[in-house]
Each structure stands twice: as C-alpha cells, then as structure tokens.
Amino acid sequence: MKYLEIDIAIVGGGPGGLAAALQAAQLGASSIVLDKRDRLGGVMMGGTGPFAAGTIQQRRQRKTFTADQAFEFFMDFTHWQTDPELVAAFVGKSAETIQWLEQLGCAFENVVCYIDKGYHTWHENDMSKGFITDNIWKAAQKLGVQAMVNTRVERIIMKDGKAAGVCAVHEDGGEYTIKAKAVIVSTGGFGSNPEMVKKYTKFELGKNIVCGSTLTDGDGLKMMWEAGAVQGRMMMDAHVSLIDRNLAGKAGVSNDFDAFKQPNLMVNKAGKRFTNEAVMHNGAYAINIVSQQEELCGYMILTDEIVAHYKKEGLDILLPMKPPFQEEYADWPRNFETSLAEVLDKSDDVFAADSIKALALQAGIDPVQLEKTVAEYNEICERGEDRQFFKASKYLRPIRGKKYYMGRYRASSFCSLGGVEINGAARVLGEGRMPVPGLYAAGNDACSICMDTYSFFTSGLTSSFALNMGRIAAESAVADICEAKEEN
Ligand SMILES: Cc1cc2nc3c(=O)[nH]c(=O)nc-3n(C[C@H](O)[C@H](O)[C@H](O)COP(=O)(O)OP(=O)(O)OC[C@H]3O[C@@H](n4cnc5c(N)ncnc54)[C@H](O)[C@@H]3O)c2cc1C
C-alpha cells in the first residue's frame, strides 16, 4: 500500500476532472487526477464542441444567445423542475469558460445550431489547435498537477462525515491511499454499465440502445452514494438511430442512411402509424415517442420514388442543421442503394423488398395491418392534409414505387446523465439537500439540467457542463480548504 497526501483528489480525467484540476492549480491548490483509462481526456477527448451562452463568437456571428435566454430556456424546457441555482451557475460561467479555453490555445471560430428551432450554442473546437482536454492538461502539468492513469478509484474515504481522500488500485495491482482535503468526482456516468442502464432507465444496452461512452461504469456514482450522496434522476442522453453496428460504415458513423431519418411514414411493430413524423427533426424528442412503442422501436418506410426525390431536391432534415455540415453533405443520400445493398444481409435494422407485404414479412410486422396503414397514409397524402397527426403537407409523400425500404429505429446515446444532485457550487447533496462535506462533482455524473430529455436545442451541453461544473467544483473546494485553514 502506498500513501499520498494532496489538497484535492480528482476521480476521472475527462473534461470535468481536468478542468477541475487546472482551475484548482490556478487557485494555488495541489491536486492529483486518477483515471482508470490508459490516457487522460475522457470520452471523445471531451467532445468536439462545448455549449456556451453570451460569447463573443455568438455576437460576431450575430447569433446571440445570452445567459438570460439560456436560463429561461432550461427552466422552461424542464418545466421548472431542474434546480435554478445550478442552471444559473452553469450558464453564467459558460462564456467565461470559452475565454479560459482560448487562453489555453483552443479556438472556437464557428458557432453551430444543431437542429431546427435550436440556438447557436455549439462552439466548434478547431481541432488543428488540439483537443480541448489536451490543452487543459498541458496547462495543468505546467502548474504541477499530477496524474495517475490505469488507476481505478474504488472508494471515497470518509472521516467524521467528511470526504477525506480516495482508495485506488493501479492495473499492476499496486494499492494507493490518497489523503485529501477535498474529493472531486467526474467519472462520466453509467452509460456503459448494462446492469445500471437496465435498472435505472427504460433501455437495455445492446438490445434497444447503444452508448458511445465506454468505461463509464457508474463507479463514481456508486462511490458517491456510499459516501452519503442522495440518488438523483438518471437518464440516457438518447436519440433515435439505426443502432446496428453493421450500418456504421468505415468512419464508424455512416450518413448514407440518413434518408431513413426523414419525416416519412413511420410505423410500430403492430404496423400502425403512431406519430407526426416531423418529430425526426429532433432525435431526442423522436426517441421519447419511439421508445413508447413495442420493443422500443419504430420502422421508417421509404420508396425508390422518395429516394429519387431526395437525390434531386436534398433531404428534408439535415443533421446538424446548419453550416459547416449543410454544404458538405448537401447531396445526401448519394450512395443510398449501393450502401444498402452492402449491408442488407448483415443487418436487422434495414430491409428492402418489391412490395409492402414482403417488407412487412421481413421485418416481422403484420402484413395486413401494414398494407392498411400504407393505404390510409397514401389517402392522407393525396388529400394533402394530415388530419391524423397534422404533419405539414410538404412532408406528405405517398408510399409508392417499385422498391420499398424500411429502417428500424431504436436509441443511440452519447452517455448517461445524472445520478447525484449538486448545487450551484458543485457540492454533492446528501439527505435533506445538505452538502456532503468535502465532496464535489461535475460532468455526466451530476448533469440534471435536462431532467428527462437531452436538449439538442442547446447542443454541446454535456461537455460544457463537465468543463464549467469542474471549474466551479475546484473553486468551491479551494474556498472550503482556505476557510478550514483559517478556522484552525
Ligand atoms: C461520439 C461522442 C461525441 C460527443 N460529442 C460531444 C460534443 O460535441 N459536445 C459535447 O458537449 N459533448 C459531446 N459528447 C459527450 C461528452 O464527451 C461527455 O459529455 C463528456 O466527455 C463528459 O465528461 P465527464 O468528465 O463527465 O466524463 P468522461 O469524459 O466520460 O470522463 C470520465 C473519466 O472517468 C474515468 N473513470 C471512470 N470511472 C473511474 C474510476 N473508478 N476511477 C478512475 N477513473 C474513472 C473514465 O476512464 C473517463 O476517462 C460526445 C460523446 C460521444 C461518445
């Protein structure tokens, strides 16, 4: 057993943990970052674009979205169920954090709006200047921050009701006891833990949802609950997707099948239409309705005539909505048929046939019901008015042609969100919403500002929550350490 002593022990070296470490060092506190991966940076090296409100970049692009607007947005989006103090602290810090990152060498030239009716909040990181987390870590190292990778933290040491350090194990078997005046946890949630996803959400990993975050096993949540944190709301940051890995293409994410992600006829396992398909404009809203159907899935139907229309006129929904993506992919779905032919035998998520009946049989849907639904939908299209679900007439295209295609939508997610509650000072809350002394959290573990649905309207949210609440956690920890010093 090896013993270390430090001001702040930081569990997790993603954007939350690294931002906390650098901020603590800038305020004069020593810290060590512990991560069970073989590198620092966390999932996706902290994401590719953080949310912020009230930045110079937004003003320059004449796409202002102020902190006032952001506060009102989150409170309304969650029906005022989320914590106003937390929202105010987060959005109020976000513009300054963009400047802080720029001082470290990051550059955010472009601010992007992700979906229709959304805001320009996604501050695209100029990758030629390095990953956000790499730039934070370089600055932190210069200020003497220590790190141990391949080191899994197992528990938080509690002394007299206060967090007083952590116990960790290196992959070589070496055990460490790290005594600290404060502990900050940012371990990225529970999104890759099948048991926790099943227990705490309506989804099942691999069956009806996939998660982009790896090695986020809920460790931080379990150790904080054990230390006295109250369990907070838990959800998956989910959106509709064709989740079969066979469809992912060479780059891991194929856009060739985005023709399916359009507002055409969608049915459930029973072969019935169940929604206004314009909901596909917002993948997070779409999964809310799709996941209420049998087997938590929806089947989008296309025809060769609709695909030909998209090739000529472009897709109805481009994701993300705004430049830089729009120009680059304007001629989607150029490879639709060839890409589909390559994967048809390998995937249970896409189907092709010469008739609706054959399509239904392939997908395990009642053919009689599906033919009835298609006939009713075609009547709606001919009338040009959707009195069933009030879909805009521009999206009413009959299901007719020589070829019929079907895509089965289920849930994909970037990560999980929530598990512990924090206040605006990033203090972890225990019974009676009283802070657990010495314990702070950031990132996905503590992200409850969306409540039950991820907000694509204000995208870049989760990495930004990690960065901002990580910094705030460090500020609070250092303030508490200084106060305790004065008292002694
Ligand atoms: C494909 C993809 C694209 C994304 N794009 C964006 C984007 O553009 N904008 C955006 O805002 N967000 C994006 N995200 C989400 C973003 O990456 C996460 O929200 C963010 O990384 C969360 O930060 P975090 O600090 O909470 O956790 P993480 O980044 O998950 O880091 C947690 C760290 O804790 C470590 N850890 C876990 N348990 C332990 C333990 N017991 N002991 C020690 N270490 C431990 C893990 O190894 C990990 O390194 C994306 C995610 C994915 C998967």
Side-chain angles (χ1 to χ4, degrees), residues 13-16 18-19 39-47 101 106 125 130-139 467:
L18 291 179
R39 56 158 180 84
L40 296 174
V43 166
M44 272 293 287
M45 303 304 282
L101 291 170
C106 298
N125 179 39
F131 289 115
I132 292 172
T133 44
D134 280 351
N135 289 338
I136 299 176
W137 176 236
K138 271 185 222 151
L467 293 164

PDB file of all heavy atoms in Angstrom, residues 13-16 18-19 39-47 101 106 125 130-139 467:
ATOM      1  N   GLY A  13     -10.388  11.603 -15.396  1.00  0.00           N
ATOM      2  CA  GLY A  13      -9.593  12.599 -16.131  1.00  0.00           C
ATOM      3  C   GLY A  13     -10.232  13.009 -17.439  1.00  0.00           C
ATOM      4  O   GLY A  13      -9.554  13.227 -18.440  1.00  0.00           O
ATOM      5  N   GLY A  14     -11.565  13.137 -17.465  1.00  0.00           N
ATOM      6  CA  GLY A  14     -12.274  13.684 -18.629  1.00  0.00           C
ATOM      7  C   GLY A  14     -12.309  15.204 -18.506  1.00  0.00           C
ATOM      8  O   GLY A  14     -11.584  15.791 -17.693  1.00  0.00           O
ATOM      9  N   PRO A  15     -13.173  15.864 -19.291  1.00  0.00           N
ATOM     10  CA  PRO A  15     -13.228  17.330 -19.234  1.00  0.00           C
ATOM     11  C   PRO A  15     -13.566  17.863 -17.844  1.00  0.00           C
ATOM     12  O   PRO A  15     -13.020  18.889 -17.429  1.00  0.00           O
ATOM     13  CB  PRO A  15     -14.307  17.695 -20.254  1.00  0.00           C
ATOM     14  CG  PRO A  15     -15.041  16.436 -20.540  1.00  0.00           C
ATOM     15  CD  PRO A  15     -14.090  15.320 -20.297  1.00  0.00           C
ATOM     16  N   GLY A  16     -14.448  17.153 -17.129  1.00  0.00           N
ATOM     17  CA  GLY A  16     -14.820  17.606 -15.780  1.00  0.00           C
ATOM     18  C   GLY A  16     -13.627  17.562 -14.838  1.00  0.00           C
ATOM     19  O   GLY A  16     -13.300  18.550 -14.163  1.00  0.00           O
ATOM     20  N   LEU A  18     -10.354  17.257 -15.542  1.00  0.00           N
ATOM     21  CA  LEU A  18      -9.192  18.061 -15.944  1.00  0.00           C
ATOM     22  C   LEU A  18      -9.438  19.554 -15.734  1.00  0.00           C
ATOM     23  O   LEU A  18      -8.541  20.287 -15.312  1.00  0.00           O
ATOM     24  CB  LEU A  18      -8.823  17.763 -17.398  1.00  0.00           C
ATOM     25  CG  LEU A  18      -8.259  16.358 -17.641  1.00  0.00           C
ATOM     26  CD1 LEU A  18      -7.943  16.156 -19.123  1.00  0.00           C
ATOM     27  CD2 LEU A  18      -7.018  16.084 -16.804  1.00  0.00           C
ATOM     28  N   ALA A  19     -10.669  20.001 -16.036  1.00  0.00           N
ATOM     29  CA  ALA A  19     -10.979  21.425 -15.801  1.00  0.00           C
ATOM     30  C   ALA A  19     -10.860  21.734 -14.312  1.00  0.00           C
ATOM     31  O   ALA A  19     -10.334  22.787 -13.909  1.00  0.00           O
ATOM     32  CB  ALA A  19     -12.386  21.752 -16.294  1.00  0.00           C
ATOM     33  N   ARG A  39      -5.079   6.724 -20.612  1.00  0.00           N
ATOM     34  CA  ARG A  39      -4.782   8.103 -21.024  1.00  0.00           C
ATOM     35  C   ARG A  39      -5.775   9.042 -20.366  1.00  0.00           C
ATOM     36  O   ARG A  39      -6.836   8.610 -19.902  1.00  0.00           O
ATOM     37  CB  ARG A  39      -4.872   8.249 -22.544  1.00  0.00           C
ATOM     38  CG  ARG A  39      -6.237   7.797 -23.062  1.00  0.00           C
ATOM     39  CD  ARG A  39      -6.615   8.348 -24.394  1.00  0.00           C
ATOM     40  NE  ARG A  39      -7.923   7.879 -24.826  1.00  0.00           N
ATOM     41  CZ  ARG A  39      -9.082   8.422 -24.473  1.00  0.00           C
ATOM     42  NH1 ARG A  39      -9.114   9.465 -23.652  1.00  0.00           N
ATOM     43  NH2 ARG A  39     -10.225   7.935 -24.907  1.00  0.00           N
ATOM     44  N   LEU A  40      -5.416  10.327 -20.378  1.00  0.00           N
ATOM     45  CA  LEU A  40      -6.362  11.328 -19.879  1.00  0.00           C
ATOM     46  C   LEU A  40      -7.199  11.860 -21.049  1.00  0.00           C
ATOM     47  O   LEU A  40      -6.867  11.653 -22.204  1.00  0.00           O
ATOM     48  CB  LEU A  40      -5.599  12.477 -19.225  1.00  0.00           C
ATOM     49  CG  LEU A  40      -4.785  12.103 -17.976  1.00  0.00           C
ATOM     50  CD1 LEU A  40      -3.963  13.301 -17.505  1.00  0.00           C
ATOM     51  CD2 LEU A  40      -5.713  11.633 -16.853  1.00  0.00           C
ATOM     52  N   GLY A  41      -8.283  12.564 -20.753  1.00  0.00           N
ATOM     53  CA  GLY A  41      -9.103  13.179 -21.809  1.00  0.00           C
ATOM     54  C   GLY A  41     -10.560  12.740 -21.762  1.00  0.00           C
ATOM     55  O   GLY A  41     -11.429  13.428 -22.251  1.00  0.00           O
ATOM     56  N   GLY A  42     -10.797  11.560 -21.180  1.00  0.00           N
ATOM     57  CA  GLY A  42     -12.185  11.100 -21.050  1.00  0.00           C
ATOM     58  C   GLY A  42     -12.762  10.638 -22.367  1.00  0.00           C
ATOM     59  O   GLY A  42     -12.032  10.366 -23.331  1.00  0.00           O
ATOM     60  N   VAL A  43     -14.069  10.579 -22.423  1.00  0.00           N
ATOM     61  CA  VAL A  43     -14.769  10.103 -23.607  1.00  0.00           C
ATOM     62  C   VAL A  43     -14.607  11.114 -24.734  1.00  0.00           C
ATOM     63  O   VAL A  43     -14.801  12.312 -24.534  1.00  0.00           O
ATOM     64  CB  VAL A  43     -16.263   9.931 -23.267  1.00  0.00           C
ATOM     65  CG1 VAL A  43     -17.083   9.784 -24.529  1.00  0.00           C
ATOM     66  CG2 VAL A  43     -16.442   8.717 -22.383  1.00  0.00           C
ATOM     67  N   MET A  44     -14.268  10.639 -25.899  1.00  0.00           N
ATOM     68  CA  MET A  44     -14.152  11.506 -27.091  1.00  0.00           C
ATOM     69  C   MET A  44     -13.236  12.693 -26.814  1.00  0.00           C
ATOM     70  O   MET A  44     -13.411  13.761 -27.390  1.00  0.00           O
ATOM     71  CB  MET A  44     -15.535  12.057 -27.479  1.00  0.00           C
ATOM     72  CG  MET A  44     -16.333  11.197 -28.404  1.00  0.00           C
ATOM     73  SD  MET A  44     -15.627  11.048 -30.035  1.00  0.00           S
ATOM     74  CE  MET A  44     -15.946  12.648 -30.724  1.00  0.00           C
ATOM     75  N   MET A  45     -12.279  12.511 -25.939  1.00  0.00           N
ATOM     76  CA  MET A  45     -11.387  13.609 -25.541  1.00  0.00           C
ATOM     77  C   MET A  45     -12.206  14.855 -25.173  1.00  0.00           C
ATOM     78  O   MET A  45     -11.850  15.980 -25.498  1.00  0.00           O
ATOM     79  CB  MET A  45     -10.379  13.945 -26.650  1.00  0.00           C
ATOM     80  CG  MET A  45      -9.541  12.754 -27.075  1.00  0.00           C
ATOM     81  SD  MET A  45      -8.654  11.994 -25.706  1.00  0.00           S
ATOM     82  CE  MET A  45      -7.312  13.120 -25.489  1.00  0.00           C
ATOM     83  N   GLY A  46     -13.331  14.600 -24.517  1.00  0.00           N
ATOM     84  CA  GLY A  46     -14.141  15.703 -24.000  1.00  0.00           C
ATOM     85  C   GLY A  46     -15.125  16.287 -24.985  1.00  0.00           C
ATOM     86  O   GLY A  46     -15.701  17.347 -24.737  1.00  0.00           O
ATOM     87  N   GLY A  47     -15.352  15.617 -26.103  1.00  0.00           N
ATOM     88  CA  GLY A  47     -16.341  16.126 -27.054  1.00  0.00           C
ATOM     89  C   GLY A  47     -15.728  17.135 -28.009  1.00  0.00           C
ATOM     90  O   GLY A  47     -14.599  17.591 -27.832  1.00  0.00           O
ATOM     91  N   LEU A 101     -10.631  28.725 -22.109  1.00  0.00           N
ATOM     92  CA  LEU A 101     -10.089  27.695 -23.010  1.00  0.00           C
ATOM     93  C   LEU A 101      -9.263  28.333 -24.122  1.00  0.00           C
ATOM     94  O   LEU A 101      -8.242  27.789 -24.548  1.00  0.00           O
ATOM     95  CB  LEU A 101     -11.221  26.854 -23.608  1.00  0.00           C
ATOM     96  CG  LEU A 101     -11.965  25.944 -22.622  1.00  0.00           C
ATOM     97  CD1 LEU A 101     -13.216  25.348 -23.264  1.00  0.00           C
ATOM     98  CD2 LEU A 101     -11.051  24.826 -22.111  1.00  0.00           C
ATOM     99  N   CYS A 106      -7.056  26.884 -27.281  1.00  0.00           N
ATOM    100  CA  CYS A 106      -8.199  26.401 -28.064  1.00  0.00           C
ATOM    101  C   CYS A 106      -8.732  27.545 -28.929  1.00  0.00           C
ATOM    102  O   CYS A 106      -8.531  28.716 -28.601  1.00  0.00           O
ATOM    103  CB  CYS A 106      -9.343  25.935 -27.162  1.00  0.00           C
ATOM    104  SG  CYS A 106      -8.909  24.560 -26.097  1.00  0.00           S
ATOM    105  N   ASN A 125     -14.851  23.253 -31.762  1.00  0.00           N
ATOM    106  CA  ASN A 125     -13.425  23.329 -31.435  1.00  0.00           C
ATOM    107  C   ASN A 125     -12.601  23.154 -32.701  1.00  0.00           C
ATOM    108  O   ASN A 125     -12.779  22.183 -33.433  1.00  0.00           O
ATOM    109  CB  ASN A 125     -13.091  22.212 -30.427  1.00  0.00           C
ATOM    110  CG  ASN A 125     -11.625  22.204 -30.047  1.00  0.00           C
ATOM    111  OD1 ASN A 125     -11.019  23.258 -29.887  1.00  0.00           O
ATOM    112  ND2 ASN A 125     -11.051  21.026 -29.921  1.00  0.00           N
ATOM    113  N   GLY A 130      -5.684  21.375 -31.383  1.00  0.00           N
ATOM    114  CA  GLY A 130      -5.647  20.316 -30.358  1.00  0.00           C
ATOM    115  C   GLY A 130      -6.993  20.071 -29.707  1.00  0.00           C
ATOM    116  O   GLY A 130      -7.904  20.893 -29.792  1.00  0.00           O
ATOM    117  N   PHE A 131      -7.094  18.892 -29.085  1.00  0.00           N
ATOM    118  CA  PHE A 131      -8.305  18.577 -28.317  1.00  0.00           C
ATOM    119  C   PHE A 131      -8.400  19.530 -27.120  1.00  0.00           C
ATOM    120  O   PHE A 131      -7.385  19.935 -26.553  1.00  0.00           O
ATOM    121  CB  PHE A 131      -8.248  17.144 -27.773  1.00  0.00           C
ATOM    122  CG  PHE A 131      -8.393  16.087 -28.817  1.00  0.00           C
ATOM    123  CD1 PHE A 131      -7.346  15.223 -29.107  1.00  0.00           C
ATOM    124  CD2 PHE A 131      -9.591  15.941 -29.507  1.00  0.00           C
ATOM    125  CE1 PHE A 131      -7.476  14.233 -30.072  1.00  0.00           C
ATOM    126  CE2 PHE A 131      -9.741  14.954 -30.465  1.00  0.00           C
ATOM    127  CZ  PHE A 131      -8.676  14.098 -30.753  1.00  0.00           C
ATOM    128  N   ILE A 132      -9.609  19.814 -26.716  1.00  0.00           N
ATOM    129  CA  ILE A 132      -9.822  20.705 -25.572  1.00  0.00           C
ATOM    130  C   ILE A 132      -9.114  20.141 -24.333  1.00  0.00           C
ATOM    131  O   ILE A 132      -8.381  20.845 -23.626  1.00  0.00           O
ATOM    132  CB  ILE A 132     -11.340  20.870 -25.308  1.00  0.00           C
ATOM    133  CG1 ILE A 132     -11.985  21.632 -26.457  1.00  0.00           C
ATOM    134  CG2 ILE A 132     -11.599  21.567 -23.970  1.00  0.00           C
ATOM    135  CD1 ILE A 132     -13.497  21.696 -26.421  1.00  0.00           C
ATOM    136  N   THR A 133      -9.320  18.839 -24.107  1.00  0.00           N
ATOM    137  CA  THR A 133      -8.762  18.248 -22.881  1.00  0.00           C
ATOM    138  C   THR A 133      -7.228  18.208 -22.926  1.00  0.00           C
ATOM    139  O   THR A 133      -6.580  18.351 -21.892  1.00  0.00           O
ATOM    140  CB  THR A 133      -9.331  16.842 -22.652  1.00  0.00           C
ATOM    141  OG1 THR A 133      -9.328  16.138 -23.886  1.00  0.00           O
ATOM    142  CG2 THR A 133     -10.738  16.907 -22.090  1.00  0.00           C
ATOM    143  N   ASP A 134      -6.648  18.029 -24.120  1.00  0.00           N
ATOM    144  CA  ASP A 134      -5.175  18.043 -24.215  1.00  0.00           C
ATOM    145  C   ASP A 134      -4.637  19.413 -23.817  1.00  0.00           C
ATOM    146  O   ASP A 134      -3.625  19.523 -23.118  1.00  0.00           O
ATOM    147  CB  ASP A 134      -4.722  17.731 -25.648  1.00  0.00           C
ATOM    148  CG  ASP A 134      -4.747  16.240 -25.929  1.00  0.00           C
ATOM    149  OD1 ASP A 134      -4.946  15.467 -24.974  1.00  0.00           O
ATOM    150  OD2 ASP A 134      -4.589  15.850 -27.104  1.00  0.00           O
ATOM    151  N   ASN A 135      -5.304  20.469 -24.301  1.00  0.00           N
ATOM    152  CA  ASN A 135      -4.841  21.821 -23.977  1.00  0.00           C
ATOM    153  C   ASN A 135      -4.982  22.118 -22.483  1.00  0.00           C
ATOM    154  O   ASN A 135      -4.122  22.759 -21.886  1.00  0.00           O
ATOM    155  CB  ASN A 135      -5.607  22.856 -24.807  1.00  0.00           C
ATOM    156  CG  ASN A 135      -5.200  22.799 -26.269  1.00  0.00           C
ATOM    157  OD1 ASN A 135      -4.106  22.319 -26.589  1.00  0.00           O
ATOM    158  ND2 ASN A 135      -6.058  23.243 -27.160  1.00  0.00           N
ATOM    159  N   ILE A 136      -6.045  21.614 -21.888  1.00  0.00           N
ATOM    160  CA  ILE A 136      -6.210  21.823 -20.442  1.00  0.00           C
ATOM    161  C   ILE A 136      -5.089  21.088 -19.695  1.00  0.00           C
ATOM    162  O   ILE A 136      -4.458  21.629 -18.783  1.00  0.00           O
ATOM    163  CB  ILE A 136      -7.586  21.309 -19.940  1.00  0.00           C
ATOM    164  CG1 ILE A 136      -8.730  22.053 -20.623  1.00  0.00           C
ATOM    165  CG2 ILE A 136      -7.692  21.457 -18.422  1.00  0.00           C
ATOM    166  CD1 ILE A 136     -10.115  21.533 -20.252  1.00  0.00           C
ATOM    167  N   TRP A 137      -4.861  19.851 -20.114  1.00  0.00           N
ATOM    168  CA  TRP A 137      -3.870  19.040 -19.391  1.00  0.00           C
ATOM    169  C   TRP A 137      -2.464  19.634 -19.505  1.00  0.00           C
ATOM    170  O   TRP A 137      -1.712  19.669 -18.530  1.00  0.00           O
ATOM    171  CB  TRP A 137      -3.919  17.578 -19.858  1.00  0.00           C
ATOM    172  CG  TRP A 137      -2.867  16.722 -19.230  1.00  0.00           C
ATOM    173  CD1 TRP A 137      -1.939  15.967 -19.856  1.00  0.00           C
ATOM    174  CD2 TRP A 137      -2.623  16.553 -17.823  1.00  0.00           C
ATOM    175  NE1 TRP A 137      -1.139  15.337 -18.951  1.00  0.00           N
ATOM    176  CE2 TRP A 137      -1.535  15.685 -17.689  1.00  0.00           C
ATOM    177  CE3 TRP A 137      -3.219  17.073 -16.665  1.00  0.00           C
ATOM    178  CZ2 TRP A 137      -1.018  15.307 -16.447  1.00  0.00           C
ATOM    179  CZ3 TRP A 137      -2.707  16.706 -15.423  1.00  0.00           C
ATOM    180  CH2 TRP A 137      -1.625  15.824 -15.319  1.00  0.00           C
ATOM    181  N   LYS A 138      -2.115  20.150 -20.716  1.00  0.00           N
ATOM    182  CA  LYS A 138      -0.780  20.764 -20.889  1.00  0.00           C
ATOM    183  C   LYS A 138      -0.605  21.894 -19.882  1.00  0.00           C
ATOM    184  O   LYS A 138       0.429  22.005 -19.220  1.00  0.00           O
ATOM    185  CB  LYS A 138      -0.641  21.327 -22.309  1.00  0.00           C
ATOM    186  CG  LYS A 138      -0.102  20.311 -23.303  1.00  0.00           C
ATOM    187  CD  LYS A 138       0.115  20.995 -24.648  1.00  0.00           C
ATOM    188  CE  LYS A 138      -0.368  20.088 -25.756  1.00  0.00           C
ATOM    189  NZ  LYS A 138      -0.830  20.765 -26.942  1.00  0.00           N
ATOM    190  N   ALA A 139      -1.633  22.738 -19.765  1.00  0.00           N
ATOM    191  CA  ALA A 139      -1.546  23.881 -18.839  1.00  0.00           C
ATOM    192  C   ALA A 139      -1.484  23.394 -17.390  1.00  0.00           C
ATOM    193  O   ALA A 139      -0.749  23.947 -16.559  1.00  0.00           O
ATOM    194  CB  ALA A 139      -2.748  24.799 -19.042  1.00  0.00           C
ATOM    195  N   LEU A 467     -17.026  20.815 -18.112  1.00  0.00           N
ATOM    196  CA  LEU A 467     -15.976  21.846 -18.004  1.00  0.00           C
ATOM    197  C   LEU A 467     -16.354  22.901 -16.966  1.00  0.00           C
ATOM    198  O   LEU A 467     -15.550  23.264 -16.094  1.00  0.00           O
ATOM    199  CB  LEU A 467     -15.780  22.527 -19.360  1.00  0.00           C
ATOM    200  CG  LEU A 467     -15.195  21.659 -20.487  1.00  0.00           C
ATOM    201  CD1 LEU A 467     -15.408  22.325 -21.844  1.00  0.00           C
ATOM    202  CD2 LEU A 467     -13.716  21.412 -20.248  1.00  0.00           C
TER     203      LEU A 467
END
